[in-house]
Amino acid sequence: DERLRRAARSWRDDLKDALQEHFGEQTSPELWTQYQTAFAAGYRDAFTATNALSDIARMEELTGDVTLAMQLYRPEDAADSSLRFKVFHAGGPLPLSDCLPVLENMGLKVVDENPHKIKRADGSRVWIHDFGLVSNSGGSVRIEAIREQFQETFARVWAGEIENDGFNRLVVSAGLHWRDVVVLRAYSKYLRQAGIAFSPEYMESTLAGNAEIAGRIVEYFHTRFDPAGSKSAADVKKRNQTAKRIVGRIHGLLDQVANLDEDRILRRFLNLVDSTLRTNFYQTAEGGDAKAYVSFKLNSQEIDELPLPRPHVEIFVYSPRVEAVHLRGGRVARGGLRWSDRREDFRTE
């Protein structure tokens, strides 16, 4: 009897019941009017009416200036290394040539993509791009631990707020927040100006391949500079003890790195954290969001392999839009930042 009852019901009948059960009698009629004929046959074949509830919730987020919503998920029968990622976009479809590099730079292979066009009753259109993903390494991905960071990183890359490069692999491999990745990316940009012999791509792959060390370096950075941990003398003492333990752990991990070039790169990043005097990383903009740029005051005398002549100190400023450096020759100095058209080597000017 139950099988016959289900066979006699349509997908839309199931959607109507699911909406009423999930959203209640006050909200479900409005949503039912909006979505009862919105889903094409291809979508109905791929997803159950219950699955559609979460998609409807995401599409309802697309209002005003918000044109993008996301959902990272894993089907029940999928392997631990597999994921699926839905991108909801109001209006027209997203260019795949723009989407794929973002996902690949996060350490994932795109194995398939299923687009679905949703036609709502009010005439608006939403495109759902359902990407099939697998980790490059073939290892398991802890989806619950990385979901929020992954989605926020994708959105900020799409908006141009952070760069689309291989450092974003650390979001998946190390579980780092996008702001933590910005710290490592900014240090890598400084190292290029300071004449390091390795390419940005090599530094990206080294940090991604040594995810635990990268995570510990970020932890060390937070321990040293987070003002929340320095409110009293006891806090400072505890912070210094914690920092010492973290550095000891990092050195223990570095001893296990077999590749000498990778060891050298990782030690340069650790040395930069040690050589940092101050940072604006924890300051916020007027609206309370993180500032669009990050700056570090560096003790140039302590930076390993820095070309001569060494300045007294320098302030390096990084954002996706601009990079700059302010070099000081002594404790009292004049000058400021100025524009340079030599992106690869503006520090020597």
Side-chain angles (χ1 to χ4, degrees):
D1 287 345
E2 179 62 23
R3 290 199 301 271
L4 287 171
R5 188 186 69 82
R6 289 200 301 267
R9 289 175 59 83
S10 68
W11 190 92
R12 290 189 177 93
D13 293 332
D14 292 337
L15 177 63
K16 185 175 183 179
D17 289 348
L19 285 171
Q20 184 170 353
E21 181 178 351
H22 185 77
F23 292 101
E25 294 184 358
Q26 292 185 344
T27 306
S28 61
E30 182 180 348
L31 293 174
W32 169 246
T33 301
Q34 182 80 310
Y35 291 99
Q36 60 176 315
T37 60
F39 300 98
Y43 182 95
R44 299 198 302 270
D45 290 339
F47 302 103
T48 66
T50 303
N51 296 145
L53 293 179
S54 60
D55 290 349
I56 289 173
R58 297 296 183 279
M59 287 187 281
E60 287 298 297
E61 297 173 7
L62 304 177
T63 58
D65 295 334
V66 180
T67 60
L68 197 71
M70 293 150 289
Q71 182 183 18
L72 184 69
Y73 69 102
R74 176 181 287 139
E76 293 183 0
D77 57 346
D80 290 343
S81 60
S82 298
L83 304 165
R84 295 206 71 87
F85 182 50
K86 287 181 182 178
V87 181
F88 304 80
H89 186 251
L94 296 175
L96 293 183
S97 59
D98 293 342
C99 295
L100 299 189
V102 180
L103 297 170
E104 290 169 350
N105 278 332
M106 296 180 77
L108 300 167
K109 296 177 183 177
V110 181
V111 295
D112 65 75
E113 185 269 339
N114 300 315
H116 302 282
K117 185 179 182 180
I118 310 300
K119 302 178 183 179
R120 296 190 282 196
D122 62 3
S124 60
R125 303 286 188 270
V126 176
W127 280 85
I128 302 176
H129 297 272
D130 187 24
F131 294 96
L133 309 172
V134 63
S135 64
N136 277 332
S137 64
S140 61
V141 178
R142 298 179 300 161
I143 186 170
E144 297 299 333
I146 70 164
R147 178 181 283 114
E148 290 186 11
Q149 296 97 310
F150 183 96
Q151 294 179 172
E152 186 172 5
T153 300
F154 183 93
R156 290 184 180 273
V157 171
W158 192 261
E161 297 177 16
I162 57 177
E163 292 195 53
N164 180 25
D165 59 23
F167 281 102
N168 292 330
R169 280 180 276 179
L170 292 165
V171 174
V172 175
S173 62
L176 295 184
H177 188 270
W178 69 270
R179 283 275 288 165
D180 296 334
V181 176
V182 167
V183 172
L184 298 175
R185 181 182 290 114
Y187 278 139
S188 77
K189 300 289 186 179
Y190 174 80
L191 286 174
R192 289 294 295 165
Q193 294 297 325
I196 194 170
F198 305 104
S199 67
E201 292 76 17
Y202 195 9
M203 288 190 279
E204 293 167 5
S205 63
T206 295
L207 288 168
N210 297 273
E212 184 176 358
I213 296 178
R216 293 285 183 175
I217 290 174
V218 170
E219 182 184 9
Y220 180 45
F221 176 86
H222 288 307
T223 302
R224 284 202 63 202
F225 299 110
D226 190 346
S230 308
K231 295 181 178 180
S232 66
D235 289 339
V236 172
K237 182 179 180 180
K238 182 179 179 181
R239 181 196 67 186
N240 292 339
Q241 292 173 345
T242 302
K244 187 176 181 180
R245 287 196 299 269
I246 295 171
V247 171
R249 177 58 178 161
I250 292 173
H251 282 295
L253 293 170
L254 286 170
D255 291 339
Q256 302 172 28
V257 177
N259 187 295
L260 292 179
D261 285 343
E262 292 187 2
D263 178 86
R264 183 179 169 191
I265 290 171
L266 294 167
R267 291 182 187 275
R268 291 294 299 275
F269 276 87
L270 177 60
N271 170 248
L272 281 184
V273 179
D274 277 329
S275 303
T276 301
L277 301 173
R278 289 198 295 276
T279 177
N280 78 329
F281 181 81
Y282 298 95
Q283 296 176 2
T284 56
E286 290 184 1
D289 294 332
K291 287 189 173 181
Y293 62 93
V294 60
S295 58
F296 306 102
K297 183 174 182 179
L298 302 165
N299 182 353
S300 307
Q301 305 301 312
E302 300 295 329
I303 298 174
D304 293 340
E305 303 179 39
L306 192 67
L308 298 175
R310 294 176 178 235
H312 177 63
V313 294
E314 51 195 293
I315 297 174
F316 185 73
V317 181
Y318 164 78
S319 82
R321 296 176 57 244
V322 66
E323 298 169 32
V325 67
H326 180 203
L327 307 176
R328 293 188 59 173
R331 292 177 62 86
V332 178
R334 296 180 61 192
L337 302 178
R338 67 183 180 87
W339 177 257
S340 171
D341 57 5
R342 297 184 358 183
R343 294 194 306 172
E344 298 293 329
D345 188 24
F346 56 75
R347 186 178 174 277
T348 57
E349 292 187 5

